[in-house]
Amino acid sequence: MKIISSLLIIIILAGFLACREKSAGPSEKGPGSTNTRILDSIKKLDSLSLSLRVQNDKLSVVYAKTALTLARSSDSPQALIKAYNAMGNAYSTRHQDSSYYYYNLGLKLSDSINEVKEKPYLLYDVAMIYLNTFNYKTAMILLDSCIDLSSKTGSY
């Protein structure tokens, strides 16, 4: 199982590097740009991580760490926010303190660059941690903020 997961990670990184070499010019805004491909790769790794976090939490963390490595290689703070969310999700099953740490990194970064699209998701995830620790008052405040931001931004 370790060999298969390692090979899958190597294939994903090789595909990313091949796409990165093919990207031409300074244009980084279009649908074929490097940052767009990195964000797509991070979303896919996050989906893999989410689907495995209960069955195989160690492999889930490997996928999330791969997403974080990709995000750090890019110049995109949005990619880094998504990767922090993926790391938080990967740790949420058994290590809620680490999960809380990564969610807060994502929240701080989204605040610093005024990124409001990802913030409701992060607030929801932090609220679930408070809910699991029976801190209902803080969870409700965070969920209310989540609903308010979601309705303003249209991110549901």
Side-chain angles (χ1 to χ4, degrees), residues 22-134:
K22 289 181 183 178
S23 67
S27 171
E28 293 293 325
K29 299 287 183 188
S33 73
T34 303
N35 283 340
T36 303
R37 285 188 294 245
I38 289 173
L39 280 171
D40 289 342
S41 297
I42 290 170
K43 287 177 187 177
K44 289 175 185 170
L45 287 165
D46 184 30
S47 295
L48 286 169
S49 177
L50 277 171
S51 67
L52 290 171
R53 70 179 172 178
V54 174
Q55 295 171 325
N56 190 346
D57 62 326
K58 291 178 184 175
L59 185 57
S60 175
V61 171
V62 169
Y63 287 134
K65 284 183 179 179
T66 305
L68 187 59
T69 302
L70 283 175
R72 287 182 176 155
S73 73
S74 76
D75 293 330
S76 171
Q78 289 84 5
L80 201 52
I81 292 169
K82 284 188 179 299
Y84 286 147
N85 195 15
M87 286 294 292
N89 289 335
Y91 283 120
S92 67
T93 305
R94 296 181 195 223
H95 305 285
Q96 289 193 346
D97 53 342
S98 297
S99 183
Y100 183 79
Y101 171 76
Y102 283 107
Y103 291 144
N104 274 324
L105 284 177
L107 282 170
K108 286 178 187 176
L109 184 56
S110 66
D111 283 340
S112 69
I113 64 166
N114 292 326
E115 171 68 40
V116 293
K117 187 176 178 186
E118 293 297 319
K119 198 168 181 178
Y121 302 110
L122 292 163
L123 286 172
Y124 174 81
D125 292 332
V126 173
M128 291 301 106
I129 291 174
Y130 280 107
L131 197 64
N132 290 335
T133 58
F134 306 108

Side-chain angles (χ1 to χ4, degrees), residues 7-17 45 48 63 66 70:
L7 286 174
L8 184 61
I9 291 171
I10 290 170
I11 290 170
I12 291 171
L13 287 175
F16 165 72
L17 292 174
L45 287 165
L48 286 169
Y63 287 134
T66 305
L70 283 175

